[in-house]
Amino acid sequence: MTDPSFRINSALTVEARRGPFGGRRWMALLTALGDAESITAAAREVGLSYKAAWDAIDAMNNLSEQPLVERAVGGKGGGGTRLTDHGRRLVDAYRAVEEENQRFIERINARMSGAAAELETIGRLAMLTSARNHFAGKVVRIATGAVNDEVELELSGGARIVAIITHESLQHMALAVGDSAVALVKASSVIVATGADAGVKLSARNRLQGKVARVQPGAVNAEVVIDLGGGNSVAAIITNTSAQVLQLAEGVEAAAIFKASSVILAVGA
């Protein structure tokens, strides 16, 4: 089996020629309606309001080549709301595809047995943030305080990053020593130092040593990327003037400096 904290899953979406048809919840609504022939009961079963259920049905009817749901008024069978023949065929087809999809997912999870580390990496790659710098590491130290806590991460190359977060945040994330976490740092929060300046004592807790990998000048600012070793790098946004004064170029020894309060921690769901 795969690590229970990592599982591959998927959700089916039915599409018509006119566009997406909705996902599992809409199909669950149609399924429930087929069983109950009551919009009120079907909406309750899938957790929708009466209005939201009708909105979904109207949207599906509009997107379908043929109506999926019809209103019946009076008559021998009484009134109500029920699936059309086309709607029932759609539900049956969806159930068949969903069953096949589930069998496929089970085969994939069995095949990925022992790949928890790779799945964790894939999960981190899917994370989208505005922060330029993402660092994956292991929590190696936690120092708790009355209001704020200090969390130290060790990166794959051996460098360490310290973050200051509230005690409430630490508890919410359930962080403990040995856990995996991602540190996010905006490039504009990083100060670059070279030569004698790199050894100056500062209040900033984080000082990562490395070599300049590239300098990309812009109209006003330049992006400086510092290689930290071990596959890690850090990007900083500084003015073009600062880059010139520091004589930054590929291969120059440099330090990336940023405050612990500038670090945001993230953990997997």
Side-chain angles (χ1 to χ4, degrees):
M1 295 178 61
T2 54
D3 186 320
S5 61
F6 295 96
R7 177 177 169 80
I8 297 172
N9 212 335
S10 71
L12 290 178
T13 299
V14 177
E15 294 189 359
R17 285 192 300 175
R18 301 179 189 176
F21 218 66
R24 182 172 296 175
R25 199 174 196 188
W26 277 17
M27 297 308 299
L29 176 63
L30 290 181
T31 301
L33 185 57
D35 294 336
E37 293 196 356
S38 163
I39 188 67
T40 302
R44 185 185 307 115
E45 183 173 331
V46 299
L48 289 173
S49 68
Y50 182 81
K51 181 181 183 304
W54 267 121
D55 288 345
I57 288 170
D58 288 340
M60 286 188 281
N61 275 341
N62 288 338
L63 289 168
S64 177
E65 301 294 335
Q66 301 177 40
L68 302 172
V69 176
E70 62 184 0
R71 298 173 176 87
V73 290
K76 184 178 179 180
T81 306
R82 56 176 174 252
L83 296 181
T84 64
D85 289 341
H86 185 61
R88 282 189 290 272
R89 288 194 297 271
L90 180 66
V91 168
D92 290 343
Y94 181 83
R95 282 173 166 167
V97 175
E98 176 68 18
E99 289 173 3
E100 188 61 37
N101 179 64
Q102 197 56 44
R103 285 192 288 269
F104 169 73
I105 291 300
E106 293 304 329
R107 290 197 300 270
I108 286 292
N109 277 290
R111 183 175 178 180
M112 295 302 293
S113 176
E118 288 76 14
L119 293 177
E120 184 178 9
T121 299
I122 292 170
R124 288 198 299 265
L125 296 179
M127 181 173 59
L128 300 176
T129 76
S130 63
R132 178 69 171 79
N133 297 297
H134 298 182
F135 303 101
K138 294 284 186 182
V139 178
V140 293
R141 184 179 64 85
I142 296 176
T144 58
V147 177
N148 294 325
D149 296 340
E150 188 175 274
V151 180
E152 188 169 0
L153 293 185
E154 183 172 22
L155 310 185
S156 58
R160 295 193 174 193
I161 291 178
V162 177
I164 296 293
I165 63 175
T166 64
H167 187 61
E168 182 180 1
S169 294
L170 183 76
Q171 292 179 320
H172 177 69
M173 293 189 290
L175 271 180
V177 172
D179 287 347
S180 297
V182 175
L184 309 175
V185 184
K186 296 181 67 174
S188 57
S189 298
V190 179
I191 297 172
V192 176
T194 60
D197 291 336
V200 173
K201 293 182 179 180
L202 299 170
S203 61
R205 291 282 276 111
N206 295 293
R207 187 188 302 260
L208 304 178
Q209 292 292 145
K211 291 184 177 181
V212 175
R214 67 179 183 273
V215 179
Q216 183 63 51
V220 177
N221 296 323
E223 181 184 77
V224 181
V225 178
I226 299 174
D227 184 2
L228 304 175
N232 295 302
S233 62
V234 57
I237 297 295
I238 64 175
T239 65
N240 287 329
T241 301
S242 295
Q244 293 168 0
V245 170
L246 293 172
Q247 297 182 333
L248 295 178
E250 185 178 345
V252 171
E253 297 277 352
I257 301 168
F258 49 94
K259 299 174 66 174
S261 58
S262 297
V263 181
I264 297 173
L265 292 184
V267 295

